[in-house]
Amino acid sequence: MKSTNEIRSRSYEYRKEYLDETPWWYRGEMHLGFTLVFTCAVIAYCAMQLRSPALTEWAAVIPLFLFGNWAEWAAHRYLLHRPTKLFSMVYKRHCAVHHRFFTHVTLEYKGQKEWRALLFPPFAPVAFVLAAVPFAVVIGMLFTRNAGYIALLTMAAYYLMYEGLHTLSHITESRFLDAVPFVNSVRRLHVLHHDPEMMATSNFNLTFPICDTLFGTRKEPATTEKGAEAGATR
């Protein structure tokens, strides 16, 4: 087990290397902006296609939300933290970049260039929405046109929620966020996930920890550890 000082030192050393290799043209604001504009545009487009949706059609949000929660948990656990032939680049991007750049004692980000290591690459929201389209089409064919658009809207909104809560989890020393119900729980659980000793086994949900609770991968930091972590990020 590496010491806290060693973990912090290696993380900051890697940060310098990564930032030095960041292309001069990269702008974190543009990166974030694309994610927001694309996902919000998909949500708005789907909403405009709805024609007096019934309550039963809106009820489709519930199973789709639960499916999204499982997909988030499963992809995080089995693709982002386990090397596979088909998804080796995704694994390397997550473990060899994101988790080296951000540890439980170096969770903070400073400056727009560091958003490159924080946010999913720009192609990710596009790929996520495109992957959801066939499911939305099938739902629209089996049920109603409205249900199909609600399905796609739900998945795009889920991705946006994921990125939002993940970003909030990397903001340190915020008394406001620490006091917001649910958000403070997500932040607390994510700190533990970034512990190098725990990242491959615990807290894979970045939103609602439903599947982490169901499948026994939810881990809560001890009270003494929370205090130590809070002090370590200052």
Side-chain angles (χ1 to χ4, degrees):
M1 180 182 293
K2 297 183 177 68
S3 68
T4 297
N5 288 336
E6 185 179 359
I7 292 172
R8 183 184 291 106
S9 177
R10 289 191 177 188
S11 176
Y12 286 138
E13 183 179 346
Y14 176 72
R15 284 187 177 206
K16 184 179 184 308
E17 294 175 5
Y18 188 78
L19 292 175
D20 287 343
E21 294 173 358
T22 298
W24 64 268
W25 46 262
Y26 175 81
R27 296 296 306 180
E29 301 94 335
M30 298 295 290
H31 187 166
L32 176 62
F34 175 80
T35 298
L36 293 174
V37 170
F38 177 78
T39 51
C40 288
V42 172
I43 293 169
Y45 174 78
C46 291
M48 289 188 293
Q49 303 309 307
L50 299 179
R51 298 293 180 266
S52 303
L55 183 60
T56 52
E57 291 173 320
W58 278 112
V61 169
I62 298 174
L64 288 167
F65 171 84
L66 293 175
F67 172 76
N69 192 266
W70 173 83
E72 167 197 336
W73 175 87
H76 198 174
R77 181 178 186 181
Y78 295 112
L79 299 181
L80 299 186
H81 282 281
R82 293 188 184 181
T84 60
K85 290 182 179 180
L86 292 178
F87 298 96
S88 61
M89 292 302 296
V90 175
Y91 166 78
K92 290 178 182 177
R93 169 63 171 74
H94 189 70
C95 286
V97 175
H98 183 68
H99 274 272
R100 289 177 68 192
F101 200 100
F102 300 106
T103 71
H104 63 306
V105 292
T106 59
L107 207 66
E108 77 288 348
Y109 60 89
K110 299 177 181 178
Q112 54 86 18
K113 281 197 172 184
E114 296 194 359
W115 295 355
R116 179 169 168 248
L118 174 70
L119 302 171
F120 274 117
F123 68 81
V126 179
F128 184 86
V129 169
L130 289 178
V133 168
F135 294 99
V137 171
V138 171
I139 290 172
M141 294 174 64
L142 293 178
F143 298 99
T144 66
R145 180 176 179 275
N146 279 341
Y149 280 112
I150 288 173
L152 190 58
L153 181 155
T154 301
M155 299 314 291
Y158 197 100
Y159 182 91
L160 187 60
M161 176 180 64
Y162 181 99
E163 280 284 37
L165 287 173
H166 182 225
T167 300
L168 293 180
S169 295
H170 283 268
I171 297 176
T172 59
E173 297 185 17
S174 174
R175 292 185 178 180
F176 172 74
L177 293 177
D178 287 340
V180 177
F182 172 64
V183 173
N184 54 12
S185 296
V186 171
R187 284 160 53 79
R188 183 180 69 252
L189 295 175
H190 195 58
V191 171
L192 191 62
H193 174 69
H194 271 271
D195 185 332
E197 301 292 330
M198 306 290 287
M199 68 178 187
T201 60
S202 307
N203 299 345
F204 299 107
N205 278 129
L206 264 295
T207 58
F208 294 77
I210 297 172
C211 285
D212 271 324
T213 302
L214 288 176
F215 298 116
T217 53
R218 176 172 177 168
K219 296 292 187 296
E220 289 276 0
T223 303
T224 53
E225 291 176 337
K226 289 182 198 173
E229 288 159 359
T233 57
R234 289 174 187 159

